[in-house]
Amino acid sequence: TWGQLKSLLTAHAGRPTLMWLPATGIWDDGEPANPHAGKAAKLGCGWSEVRWNTGGQGGGCVLIYSSIHVSALRSAVDEIARIAEWGNSRFLAVRHSRVPA
């Protein structure tokens, strides 16, 4: 639940944190497929969304993170999607939030 995630993020404020959440492969403009990622962004966290298909449930995931090396994490996510050939020129496989403050 959002309450549990918020408690974890608050308890780990200032420490490197990385969470994985399931998501659909369906994206709306600018909003992550898992609504908890958008709420976490309001707490200063970043998110990266990955999808391996554009269907419904189980088509992707969202990573929520704070106090980590954002550029290194995002590069790793991009590389994994490239190697796995997710999207493979048919659809965008990875997108990232704005860089967290």
Side-chain angles (χ1 to χ4, degrees), residues 5-19 43-45 65-68:
L5 291 173
K6 184 178 179 183
S7 293
L8 285 169
L9 291 171
T10 303
H12 288 92
R15 296 190 311 194
T17 303
L18 175 65
M19 295 182 176
L43 297 177
C45 296
Y65 42 84
S66 64
S67 301
I68 60 173

Side-chain angles (χ1 to χ4, degrees), residues 37 40-41 44-48 63-66 74 97-100:
C45 296
W47 54 264
S48 293
L63 301 172
I64 297 174
Y65 42 84
S66 64
R74 290 178 172 185
S97 66
R98 292 186 181 155
V99 176

Side-chain angles (χ1 to χ4, degrees), residues 17 24 27 32 34-35 38 47 51 53 56 62-63 65 88 96 98:
T17 303
T24 69
W27 291 351
N34 187 305
W47 54 264
R51 64 180 171 178
N53 69 56
V62 175
L63 301 172
Y65 42 84
N88 202 22
H96 306 285
R98 292 186 181 155

Side-chain angles (χ1 to χ4, degrees), residues 22-85:
T24 69
I26 302 168
W27 291 351
D28 293 326
D29 291 334
E31 293 296 320
N34 187 305
H36 297 324
K39 293 175 185 175
K42 292 178 181 172
L43 297 177
C45 296
W47 54 264
S48 293
E49 189 164 39
V50 181
R51 64 180 171 178
W52 36 90
N53 69 56
T54 57
Q57 296 295 331
C61 69
V62 175
L63 301 172
I64 297 174
Y65 42 84
S66 64
S67 301
I68 60 173
H69 298 284
V70 173
S71 61
L73 173 75
R74 290 178 172 185
S75 292
V77 169
D78 291 339
E79 185 64 7
I80 290 166
R82 186 190 68 76
I83 290 169
E85 297 181 353

